[in-house]
């Protein structure tokens, strides 16, 4: 689990560093496990709510985006600050707490 989350965080960081793209909806549904041999890797998917920070013409959304249990405090409270890199990283911390508490269920499990 820690390796999968580290891979997802590394993916997020690289996409932000290279392209200045914020994901804005990091949740357990947007992190995939990928197994090769004995090594399990994590992948970050679903960039539907993503925004490029360098795009000055982009519409800046102050509404809440994301999956409720994993949204940052700023996002939940409807803060006046735009969604930032730290909001996405805060979501990753909440995912670790969620999985540590409830576990990670397969899609077909109740």
């Amino acid at each position: 689990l820690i390796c999968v989350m580290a891979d997802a965080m590394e993916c997020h960081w690289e996409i932000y560093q290279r392209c200045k793209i914020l994901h804005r909806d990091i949740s357990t549904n947007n992190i995939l496990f990928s197994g090769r041999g004995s090594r399990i890797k994590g992948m970050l998917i679903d960039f539907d709510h993503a925004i490029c920070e360098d795009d000055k013409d982009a519409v800046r959304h102050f509404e809440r985006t994301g999956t409720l249990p994993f949204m940052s405090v700023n996002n939940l409270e409807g803060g006046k600050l735009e969604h930032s890199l730290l909001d996405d990283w805060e979501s990753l911390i909440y995912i670790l707490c969620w999985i540590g508490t409830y576990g990670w269920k397969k899609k077909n499990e109740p």
Side-chain angles (χ1 to χ4, degrees), residues 13 37 51 66 85 90:
W13 179 249
I51 190 167
L85 180 67
E90 187 177 334

Side-chain angles (χ1 to χ4, degrees), residues 20-110:
K20 297 294 184 214
I21 291 177
L22 289 174
H23 190 280
R24 300 188 334 151
D25 185 21
I26 296 178
S27 70
T28 55
N29 294 326
N30 295 335
I31 297 174
L32 294 181
F33 284 73
S34 172
R36 288 197 175 152
S38 63
R39 172 85 163 102
I40 295 176
K41 297 188 72 104
M43 296 183 291
L44 187 61
I45 62 166
D46 191 5
F47 287 80
D48 291 349
H49 294 285
I51 190 167
C52 180
E53 279 198 331
D54 288 343
D55 187 358
K56 301 300 180 200
D57 295 327
V59 177
R60 299 297 177 181
H61 299 283
F62 290 100
E63 80 272 0
R64 295 190 266 183
T65 59
T67 304
L68 191 60
F70 313 112
M71 291 169 61
S72 69
V73 172
N74 176 57
N75 204 0
L76 282 171
E77 292 180 343
K80 299 202 186 301
L81 301 174
E82 288 183 18
H83 195 103
S84 73
L85 180 67
L86 294 178
D87 291 303
D88 280 356
W89 283 70
E90 187 177 334
S91 294
L92 287 164
I93 292 169
Y94 295 146
I95 290 171
L96 280 174
C97 294
W98 181 275
I99 295 169
T101 303
Y102 300 107
W104 198 305
K105 295 184 178 183
K106 293 179 184 172
K107 203 163 192 120
N108 295 331
E109 289 182 20

